Amino acid sequence: MAAEIKALPSSKPTKTTSTDKPVLVSRIEGSGDDIHAAVLLNEGTGVISISDDKSVRIWQRRDSGQYWPSVCHFLPSAPTCLHYLQDQMQLFLGLDNGKVIEFSVATDYNSINQTREYHSHQGRVSEVLHCPKAHWVLTASRDKFFVYHCTETGRRLGGHQCSGWCTALRYDSATRHTFVGDYTGQVTMLKLEESGAQVITVLKGHNGSIRALAWDGERQLLFSGSFDQSVIVWDIGGGKGTAFELQGHTSKVTSLVYGKSSHQLISGGEDASVVFWDMAANRQETPEWLESDSCQYCERPFFWNIKAMMDQKQIGLRQHHCRKCGKAVCDSCSSKRSCIPVMGFEFDVRVCDKCHSTITDQDLSGDNRKSLARFHEVKHSVVYMDLDEEMGLLLTVGQDRVMKIWEVSGLLN
């Protein structure tokens, strides 16, 4: 069943008047099972979706403004991820049984034809990417392996075993670097060659599983979204390992998309919200947390410092950290809270008393805590997103088995 929300006058969605919030254009329902992923087609006139009922569907927008399926193709196993190349009309589907199937899509979007099958994994495929320039198809799976095949011969070229389930994948065609996020919260950076994959480094910073990755190829920035409710920005191009956090969700971060022209990062989460992050703004690096056996201000011992507790004849305290300077402090010396948007903390976080006074002094000379993100409710828990930046359209897929298309051009300026 398809429900019309906002009928547009032409067969193609057109940009409406810019607003500072997403405008719901269409709502698509029609799957009796969970929808794992979906992508916008042909300037928003169509949508490809994959569902737990083992189907891949192509939805086309009719003159009435409603979306109806022109293709409903059932597979031997549930499709769990997809990658579609609009220019080449190629569709790659990763399946729950570990296989990857390549399809060619008809120019009228009324049929799809299978062209190749890859026996890639022993477990559920979590992400698939096609690299036309290198003629590779990259896949990551719950069997803990990342592998890549040649699309011309179907031959396996190489792979790498990660520390946990592979959950997210991104590729930079200019440098042939690949980033694989896993269930342990790590991101493995690989260099791919015809002869195999070489490990460059492992990025560690999250306290929860990686769920989504996004890539800014121009500035060489990697974005990782995690179940720990945060997004970390990694400066890959700088080569210094610098990173800063974006804290704006109250539940798991499940999807990331990046607008290359607008430099807007969009994150979606289980808190039924999407956050637009201004990545053109100057931001400060998140400090490393310092370790100490005693509070670095009042010098009272922490509870594991038994010797100091006995010498000073007092009970040990719990250790905390100031989010601004990273010092190890006790609760009494970090009783204040403050938001620090320039460091990505859009909500109030713990800061030491010294840093709090510094933040207060800065506010006297200007609005130094002005938000660098915009928050919007989308009325369903987001599991996947797709962005057509040129048309200013955002597609959200929810746990409620509904796909929503939003007009967001006003937020991409």
Side-chain angles (χ1 to χ4, degrees):
M1 179 179 69
E4 179 181 354
I5 298 300
K6 182 179 180 181
L8 298 176
S10 65
S11 61
K12 288 187 178 182
T14 56
K15 289 187 178 181
T16 59
T17 303
S18 295
T19 64
D20 59 354
K21 64 180 181 179
V23 176
L24 183 59
V25 175
S26 295
R27 174 188 174 101
I28 306 173
E29 303 177 36
S31 176
D33 289 279
D34 293 341
I35 301 172
H36 295 300
V39 294
L40 293 163
L41 298 177
N42 196 25
E43 299 180 340
T45 61
V47 172
I48 297 180
S49 68
I50 55 173
S51 173
D52 214 29
D53 63 0
K54 300 183 180 181
S55 72
V56 52
R57 289 178 168 90
I58 298 181
W59 307 80
Q60 294 199 60
R61 188 176 182 276
R62 308 306 181 185
D63 291 339
S64 64
Q66 295 177 314
Y67 286 79
W68 294 97
S70 59
V71 172
C72 184
H73 181 85
F74 286 91
L75 301 159
S77 181
T80 52
C81 56
L82 66 83
H83 186 216
Y84 178 67
L85 287 84
Q86 180 77 57
D87 295 340
Q88 301 179 13
M89 306 292 286
Q90 287 180 292
L91 175 64
F92 291 82
L93 299 179
L95 306 186
D96 190 56
N97 63 8
K99 295 182 180 180
V100 174
I101 301 179
E102 177 184 345
F103 291 91
S104 63
V105 180
T107 55
D108 60 3
Y109 300 105
N110 285 321
S111 65
I112 60 174
N113 296 298
Q114 182 174 333
T115 56
R116 190 182 291 276
E117 183 176 296
Y118 304 86
H119 295 267
S120 302
H121 298 279
Q122 297 298 316
R124 179 189 183 102
V125 181
S126 52
E127 189 136 12
V128 57
L129 293 175
H130 179 225
C131 314
K133 184 177 179 181
H135 303 290
W136 293 340
V137 57
L138 283 58
T139 56
S141 169
R142 286 191 178 182
D143 63 5
K144 300 184 180 182
F145 276 93
F146 157 80
V147 300
Y148 59 114
H149 289 75
C150 175
T151 55
E152 295 181 320
T153 64
R155 183 172 61 91
R156 186 182 188 274
L157 299 175
H160 175 75
Q161 184 175 6
C162 295
S163 56
W165 289 357
C166 298
T167 54
L169 182 64
R170 279 298 173 267
Y171 174 75
D172 179 39
S173 59
T175 61
R176 290 192 171 186
H177 285 147
T178 298
F179 305 93
V180 186
D182 65 41
Y183 197 77
T184 68
Q186 299 181 7
V187 180
T188 304
M189 179 178 176
L190 303 169
K191 174 77 171 184
L192 302 189
E193 300 291 352
E194 297 288 345
S195 57
Q198 176 188 357
V199 177
I200 302 300
T201 189
V202 177
L203 306 175
K204 301 178 181 180
H206 285 290
N207 295 318
S209 303
I210 303 293
R211 181 58 182 85
L213 295 174
W215 175 247
D216 178 359
E218 178 184 348
R219 294 186 295 169
Q220 299 283 291
L221 296 177
L222 178 70
F223 310 96
S224 58
S226 169
F227 282 6
D228 64 9
Q229 305 179 14
S230 73
V231 177
I232 294 182
V233 185
W234 308 89
D235 182 9
I236 303 299
K240 298 179 181 179
T242 57
F244 52 88
E245 294 183 29
L246 304 176
Q247 298 277 0
H249 286 277
T250 58
S251 188
K252 298 175 181 178
V253 178
T254 54
S255 184
L256 296 173
V257 290
Y258 184 70
K260 297 179 181 179
S261 300
S262 61
H263 297 300
Q264 292 284 327
L265 176 70
I266 307 173
S267 60
E270 289 189 357
D271 53 5
S273 68
V274 294
V275 184
F276 289 71
W277 303 91
D278 181 8
M279 300 314 302
N282 292 323
R283 296 178 180 271
Q284 293 182 11
E285 182 182 358
T286 304
E288 292 187 10
W289 283 6
L290 303 178
E291 297 300 328
S292 175
D293 290 332
S294 303
C295 174
Q296 293 183 287
Y297 284 113
C298 69
E299 298 184 352
R300 293 183 61 183
F302 295 129
F303 63 85
W304 61 81
N305 192 353
I306 299 177
K307 183 177 185 303
M309 289 167 55
M310 295 179 63
D311 293 342
Q312 298 179 26
K313 297 181 179 180
Q314 58 181 311
I315 298 175
L317 305 176
R318 181 182 176 185
Q319 182 189 65
H320 299 282
H321 287 90
C322 172
R323 292 336 189 245
K324 190 173 190 299
C325 66
K327 288 185 177 180
V329 291
C330 67
D331 184 68
S332 298
C333 294
S334 59
S335 59
K336 306 293 193 302
R337 301 289 186 275
S338 177
C339 63
I340 318 173
V342 72
M343 299 183 71
F345 298 114
E346 294 289 337
F347 302 149
D348 286 350
V349 292
R350 181 185 296 271
V351 293
C352 65
D353 294 347
K354 182 178 180 180
C355 286
H356 186 268
S357 62
T358 302
I359 295 171
T360 304
D361 291 341
Q362 290 175 345
D363 281 343
L364 296 177
S365 59
D367 189 4
N368 289 285
R369 284 189 285 177
K370 182 179 179 180
S371 178
L372 297 177
R374 288 168 288 185
F375 301 80
H376 303 283
E377 293 289 332
V378 291
K379 306 298 183 182
H380 62 178
S381 178
V382 177
V383 298
Y384 194 87
M385 296 190 299
D386 186 46
L387 175 68
D388 184 334
E389 188 176 15
E390 183 177 351
M391 289 299 297
L393 296 175
L394 177 69
L395 172 70
T396 59
V397 178
Q399 288 185 1
D400 55 1
R401 302 172 180 176
V402 174
M403 295 174 285
K404 297 180 181 180
I405 300 177
W406 307 84
E407 164 67 41
V408 296
S409 57
L411 293 162
L412 298 177
N413 296 328

